[in-house]
Amino acid sequence: MIQLRAVRALALADWCIAAGFVRNRVWDHLHGIVPPRQPVDIDVLYFDADDRSKERESEHEGRLAVLLPGLPWQVRNQARMHVWKDLPPHRDTADAMVYWLETVTAVGVRLEDDDSLTVVAPLGTDDLLGLCCRPTAFGHTRRHEYEARITAKRWREMWPKVRFLE
């Protein structure tokens, strides 16, 4: 919750903490790993079509580093992520997540002003909660990247209960 409060303080548009931070916490919990492993990074997503500069992302990372020093913040504006994937521009953060490689990573959480949580999961949460890793439709077009990612990050060893589907 402290990470969510820190990001909320930035007042970013259409934001969430997502990807490995959420996936790893859920899978660690479902595997009985207590306390959960420390995050490799904390993926903060937001959508600002008016300012797609990498410098703005760095500014947000700097502000988060002041609020919660020593954490591995990674802030990315999803309004610019389509470029390196050679895709049409994304409509919003959820739309950008559809173009990730696996369904279990396309889940994010946002802390609202009233302290309620909003789950951003354009592909649903069934795979994440059901310990099932599968490629997204986009991931099917980049199967070698999907498989290489699973291998490089050692997910099979770290979470042996997960079923990996093609």
Side-chain angles (χ1 to χ4, degrees), residues 16-84:
C16 63
I17 294 179
F21 184 82
V22 173
R23 180 199 59 238
N24 295 3
R25 291 267 171 125
V26 170
W27 281 358
D28 279 358
H29 174 76
L30 294 174
H31 278 78
I33 299 169
V34 178
R37 297 176 180 106
Q38 291 298 310
V40 174
D41 55 24
I42 302 172
D43 297 291
V44 177
L45 315 179
Y46 71 103
F47 192 90
D48 182 356
D50 294 329
D51 185 351
R52 298 179 187 177
S53 69
K54 184 133 179 74
E55 293 77 23
R56 181 71 67 223
E57 295 171 351
S58 296
E59 288 174 18
H60 295 315
E61 288 173 358
R63 289 178 62 202
L64 288 168
V66 169
L67 291 171
L68 289 175
L71 294 180
W73 298 106
Q74 187 176 66
V75 179
R76 297 294 179 262
N77 184 356
Q78 300 304 294
R80 69 180 195 85
M81 293 295 106
H82 67 285
V83 174
W84 66 273

Side-chain angles (χ1 to χ4, degrees), residues 85-106:
K85 293 180 182 177
D86 195 27
L87 295 168
H90 300 306
R91 294 184 307 272
D92 54 27
T93 295
D95 181 53
M97 294 166 77
V98 169
Y99 294 95
W100 291 1
L101 294 176
E102 60 279 339
T103 59
V104 296
T105 303

Side-chain angles (χ1 to χ4, degrees), residues 26-28 30-31 104 125-133 159 161-164:
V26 170
W27 281 358
D28 279 358
L30 294 174
H31 278 78
V104 296
T125 59
D126 289 350
D127 285 349
L128 177 65
L129 298 174
L131 295 170
C132 179
C133 185
W159 297 290
K161 295 178 185 176
V162 174
R163 292 176 296 125
F164 293 87

Side-chain angles (χ1 to χ4, degrees), residues 1 4 8 109-119:
M1 290 299 286
L4 288 167
R8 180 177 64 184
V109 180
R110 177 176 48 246
L111 184 64
E112 302 293 354
D113 290 337
D114 65 359
D115 286 339
S116 64
L117 293 173
T118 296
V119 175

